[in-house]
Amino acid sequence: MKHTILITFLVSIFIFGCKDHTSKSKDAPVSDLGHIDVILDSVTWYTIKNDSFIQNDFGVLNVDTAYYSGKPSYDLYLLGQLNFLHLSLAKDFWNNQQGAGVLVFQTQKPGQIEPLLNSWKQFYKDSLFVHSYKGSDFTLDEIMAWYKQDTTKPKEAEMFANLTSYSADAYKNWGITDSIINAGLAMKQFMGDWGGEPLKTRLFNSITELHMTMNQQEFKEIESALLAVGYKENKNSFTHSANPSIYITVSEEKVKSKYTKVKFRLNRSIAEKEIVFSPMAKLKLSGTDGWFIFD
């Protein structure tokens, strides 16, 4: 199975204000956390890319260069058994975006973009738009918040959500049977087909917690997206029976990274280990848990 991941970055103007909500959506398609995006400085990105433990022990590492709007995006895909990390270099397409983040969910069943859009609209009253990306053997529909660009202001690192659904033809082109398509493709098979046999021997199983810091304007969008895919909220903490727990700190102060900590489940227990990639990032492992920490 060949996967191409499209991330469209928006220079956004967010609208201030949020309210406490409990998810009431009954018709939302079943969605999984597919991956998160973290935009890194060059020292951190290259150190992770060349680290032997990351390459051979932690997860399956794919290196790629994609082009969005004619500009290159330098990407690392660090694959686990249930989801993955998408680490991009703050250069060219992601210029001036060091510390930015994206939260990406995908539906288990294909072709669910309309009910997914309707679910998000229940919790987000501003503008949403659907973008369809056509690859060589698939179509990926993505929903994002829409904002009018303010070209008078310099770009700043920001956080946004992306809810996605693949086309049924994509799954068929990848050899997925009708019975699985009708039942829904779990992330374990999705990632297994992508990562292949090496994935079974690596440590990285799945993301279990996300800790983020964002401003009130960004929180409005992220909160609504989480409610749209079935999360429940309690004082800026979000829980879901089948997805990672998410903890958000709302602050108007500029931060070095929107993602502060990412917790992982490991496939086997290991002795305590710490790898410092740069002053901005490190990996801590102990037992069957691991943490990426972005300072």
Side-chain angles (χ1 to χ4, degrees), residues 18 20 34 59 77 82 86 171 227:
C18 68
D20 291 335
Y77 300 116
L82 296 185
H86 184 184
Y171 283 8
L227 294 172

Side-chain angles (χ1 to χ4, degrees), residues 38-49 51 54 76 78 85 87-88 98-99 256-262 264 273-285 291-295:
V38 185
I39 313 305
L40 300 173
D41 64 284
S42 60
V43 172
T44 304
W45 191 87
Y46 280 105
T47 303
I48 292 175
K49 173 180 178 290
D51 187 84
I54 291 292
L76 305 178
L78 187 54
L85 277 174
L87 308 175
S88 297
Q98 179 180 325
K256 294 180 180 179
S257 178
K258 297 294 182 178
Y259 285 105
T260 55
K261 294 188 292 185
V262 180
F264 302 92
K273 183 180 182 69
E274 179 174 304
I275 302 175
V276 178
F277 301 112
S278 73
M280 303 298 295
K282 60 186 173 183
L283 175 66
K284 298 181 70 172
L285 305 174
W291 292 86
F292 261 106
I293 300 172
F294 302 101
D295 294 323

Side-chain angles (χ1 to χ4, degrees), residues 62-99:
N62 290 346
V63 182
D64 190 26
T65 300
Y67 286 85
Y68 308 133
S69 303
K71 296 181 180 180
S73 174
Y74 306 98
D75 303 312
L76 305 178
Y77 300 116
L78 187 54
L79 311 186
Q81 291 191 355
L82 296 185
N83 33 48
F84 67 96
L85 277 174
H86 184 184
L87 308 175
S88 297
L89 180 61
K91 180 181 178 182
D92 291 323
F93 180 76
W94 294 101
N95 190 40
N96 295 325
Q97 298 303 311
Q98 179 180 325

Side-chain angles (χ1 to χ4, degrees), residues 44-275:
T44 304
W45 191 87
Y46 280 105
T47 303
I48 292 175
K49 173 180 178 290
N50 296 320
D51 187 84
S52 60
F53 180 81
I54 291 292
Q55 293 175 350
N56 302 318
D57 298 288
F58 185 74
V60 172
L61 181 66
N62 290 346
V63 182
D64 190 26
T65 300
Y67 286 85
Y68 308 133
S69 303
K71 296 181 180 180
S73 174
Y74 306 98
D75 303 312
L76 305 178
Y77 300 116
L78 187 54
L79 311 186
Q81 291 191 355
L82 296 185
N83 33 48
F84 67 96
L85 277 174
H86 184 184
L87 308 175
S88 297
L89 180 61
K91 180 181 178 182
D92 291 323
F93 180 76
W94 294 101
N95 190 40
N96 295 325
Q97 298 303 311
Q98 179 180 325
V102 190
L103 183 65
V104 184
F105 288 87
Q106 67 185 60
T107 61
Q108 289 190 0
K109 291 184 178 181
Q112 297 293 299
I113 203 65
E114 285 301 323
L116 190 61
L117 177 63
N118 291 334
S119 180
W120 198 351
K121 284 181 177 179
Q122 294 179 65
F123 306 102
Y124 191 75
K125 302 307 178 184
D126 295 321
S127 297
L128 298 169
F129 79 98
V130 177
H131 174 271
S132 294
Y133 177 77
K134 297 185 181 297
S136 59
D137 58 356
F138 71 93
T139 298
L140 176 65
D141 290 323
E142 305 173 304
I143 310 171
M144 288 169 280
W146 181 87
Y147 303 96
K148 183 178 180 180
Q149 295 187 12
D150 186 350
T151 58
T152 66
K153 294 183 179 180
K155 289 184 179 180
E156 293 184 359
E158 49 191 19
M159 181 79 199
F160 64 94
N162 191 351
L163 305 187
T164 71
S165 186
Y166 281 97
S167 64
D169 287 345
Y171 283 8
K172 292 179 180 180
N173 291 337
W174 296 336
I176 298 170
T177 63
D178 286 339
S179 60
I180 293 177
I181 291 175
N182 293 332
L185 179 66
M187 285 301 297
K188 187 174 182 64
Q189 181 173 347
F190 186 92
M191 296 305 303
D193 289 346
W194 187 6
E197 286 297 316
L199 195 61
K200 299 177 182 178
T201 65
R202 306 299 165 87
L203 286 167
F204 181 15
N205 178 277
S206 57
I207 297 170
T208 57
E209 289 182 14
L210 294 172
H211 296 252
M212 295 176 276
T213 298
M214 65 189 69
N215 60 43
Q216 188 81 297
Q217 298 168 338
E218 294 167 325
F219 179 77
K220 178 181 178 180
E221 177 189 334
I222 299 299
E223 177 193 43
S224 65
L226 291 173
L227 294 172
V229 295
Y231 273 82
K232 294 185 178 181
E233 179 183 7
N234 181 20
K235 297 180 180 179
N236 296 5
S237 297
F238 298 82
T239 56
H240 191 287
S241 60
N243 278 302
S245 298
I246 296 177
Y247 304 93
I248 298 176
T249 299
V250 179
S251 174
E252 298 303 315
E253 295 183 7
K254 187 175 181 180
V255 296
K256 294 180 180 179
S257 178
K258 297 294 182 178
Y259 285 105
T260 55
K261 294 188 292 185
V262 180
K263 188 177 182 180
F264 302 92
R265 179 182 298 115
L266 304 179
N267 286 314
R268 58 184 182 275
S269 181
I270 68 166
E272 187 171 337
K273 183 180 182 69
E274 179 174 304
I275 302 175

